[in-house]
Amino acid sequence: MECGEICKGKHRYARENKKKVSGVWLYNKKIRALALLCAGIVCAAAVALFVRGEALRQRKDSEGAAVYSAKIPVISLQGSFPLQKKRQMTCARFAFAYAGEERAYYAWTELQGMSSNLFPKKSYRLRFVTDTDKTKRRTATFNGLLADGAADTEYYLKANYADRTLARNVVAAKLWSEMAASREGLDRHLAALPYHGALTGFPVLLSVNGAYQGVYTLNMAKTPKNLGMDGLAGKYAGYGAEGGEQDSFCAAVRNVSDYEDMSYAGHIALDTDDWYTICASDTSQEGKRRIEDSLTELFQFVKNADDEAYAKGLSAYIDIPAAVDYLLLLYYLEANDNSNKNVVLITYDGKKWIHSAYDLDTTFGMTWNGEDVLPINYLLPSADGESSGTGKLFWDRFLTAYADKLRERYIALRETLFTEEKLLSAFDEFAETIPAEAWAREDALWEGLPPEGLTQRDQLRAFLKYRTMLLDAYFGFDAGGTKLTGEMERGQRAEVSDGETADTASQGITAGTYAELADTLDEAYRSEFAAQEKEERQSSALMRLLTRASLYGAPLAFALCFAGLFFAYLYAARRQKGHGR
């Protein structure tokens, strides 16, 4: 066959096959367009499944919460949420379910707290009102979860975001209630209250507009009723009028700034950045001035009285047993947030003031945001007994003048309430009321939660162990009154020597021993939960990712699978086109 004929045959073969290949490639383009459309539909379906899955998850959470209501109270709020700032309010529908019973109310709802508002999980203040008149207060009750006589018109929904136990505030408040109940000479107004001025609460599950928000606590609020002034506040408006005898005058104020500054201040002004009025029987300007004058007189006395006059005269201004208990509570719980603010002072006669504790969430060694723990020797008295460790003149002078009363009361409390077993048991009882599923959901709901190892049970046990060891050393708690010596092992005791001075014996230790102990225990304290803390810091991000994947993995896997198939098809089609040429 000649060369020309061969070339013609090749060209004819090429043209015929080109048409055939082109036809196939045209057909492949249609297939790819159809596949692209299908992939788009699949991706849209995956997104829809993702959104629907989130809605179903929230619905499941709400339905699950209804099931949990047999074990733990469930609260639902319906209103104009989210609230963006304090004093922005919505009149929300409030539904409460527990143990087969349901209650429904209306409640004016606003954000609650100061530094806690910086966290994504918000706390709320609730003021209950009637269905028909949204300005008229209504008492809300909760199936006996609070003691008889504690039902009120106002409550707090506490988020407890920084506290992984969620229980510090409640456990500490119940401890303060028990301390008050055991206090000799408890004021009759406080004695008549079920919790003696303490503001406790109980765990609940919360949903807002159908979206599950996690575990909260419903807490009592700072109200006239909870401070022993029910029926008195506002009744004697206009001091000196009929029925306005001095012994019926009452007021409660809260210090929100620096206690030491108040001791050095001139005339104290209420409802400022330093102090505000919680309630008062005389709400007139004259009544307000009476409160300011009374507080000013107290702190000027603390500032100016010589030691002898101070020791003899302070009882005319404050309730000494209540102040003793308050300072011991600061020490035992390392309640840093309560030494310079959150100090509630109550008077029922306009003269003598009674200390009461409130907002005890930053306790048991926790920092304000839960990201670290305080040194175990923080907020402790100095070894010489001259400094209270609070940085406040008020407590410095009180520690010096009432050292014996503080030691006597501490020893009594150590034999009853200040025990590791009792407090750990209180935390355990709180935790057991919360379903395991609810605990597991907290991490998925709120990213950025502090590591559990910093505030959970291992840290609590270590804190109570070493904090108690330090305070026992300072106050000399042991049978017969004993002390630590420099030569003995840490934690052991020796009989007080005959040569000690009375002042040293009242503290129960030598100054050098206590100072040495305070400097060395922090390392041992941290080592008991440091390994758990490090492990949880490393794994927290991975665990959150896995939790998210378990929630949304199905639709995402569906979309990725089809995307992979589509790109595999494109690759195969391109290879087919190349071979055709």
Side-chain angles (χ1 to χ4, degrees), residues 424-464:
L424 287 178
S425 176
F427 278 98
D428 291 342
E429 290 173 6
F430 181 99
E432 289 168 2
T433 64
I434 300 171
E437 297 90 338
W439 281 117
R441 290 287 294 126
E442 287 294 301
D443 273 322
L445 279 168
W446 304 109
E447 293 186 1
L449 285 171
E452 291 186 23
L454 284 177
T455 60
Q456 282 282 30
R457 202 176 193 278
D458 285 348
Q459 181 270 332
L460 289 170
R461 183 189 297 108
F463 171 82
L464 290 169

Side-chain angles (χ1 to χ4, degrees), residues 329-406:
L329 186 80
L330 294 184
Y331 285 155
Y332 195 68
L333 301 187
E334 200 174 33
N336 175 56
D337 208 28
N338 300 82
S339 64
N340 61 349
K341 65 175 186 176
N342 297 330
V343 182
V344 176
L345 290 174
I346 306 168
T347 182
Y348 298 105
D349 61 7
K351 179 68 175 178
K352 179 180 286 191
W353 293 88
I354 304 169
H355 282 79
S356 190
Y358 162 74
D359 200 11
L360 295 163
D361 52 352
T362 309
T363 48
F364 296 93
M366 193 180 80
T367 58
W368 73 275
N369 59 3
E371 292 291 342
D372 200 356
V373 293
L374 296 169
I376 197 65
N377 59 354
Y378 188 76
L379 193 60
L380 283 176
S382 62
D384 59 10
E386 295 296 324
S387 170
S388 64
T390 65
K392 309 298 181 285
L393 175 66
F394 183 96
W395 292 118
D396 289 348
R397 298 205 69 181
F398 189 84
L399 175 71
T400 302
Y402 292 93
D404 289 339
K405 287 187 179 295
L406 285 161

Side-chain angles (χ1 to χ4, degrees), residues 533-565:
E533 172 195 345
K534 181 179 180 181
E535 181 181 348
E536 287 179 354
R537 282 189 184 276
Q538 293 174 344
S539 64
S540 59
L542 177 61
M543 290 302 298
R544 282 196 296 271
L545 178 62
L546 292 176
T547 303
R548 293 285 181 184
S550 68
L551 291 172
Y552 310 119
L556 290 176
F558 188 59
L560 290 174
C561 178
F562 273 87
L565 290 174

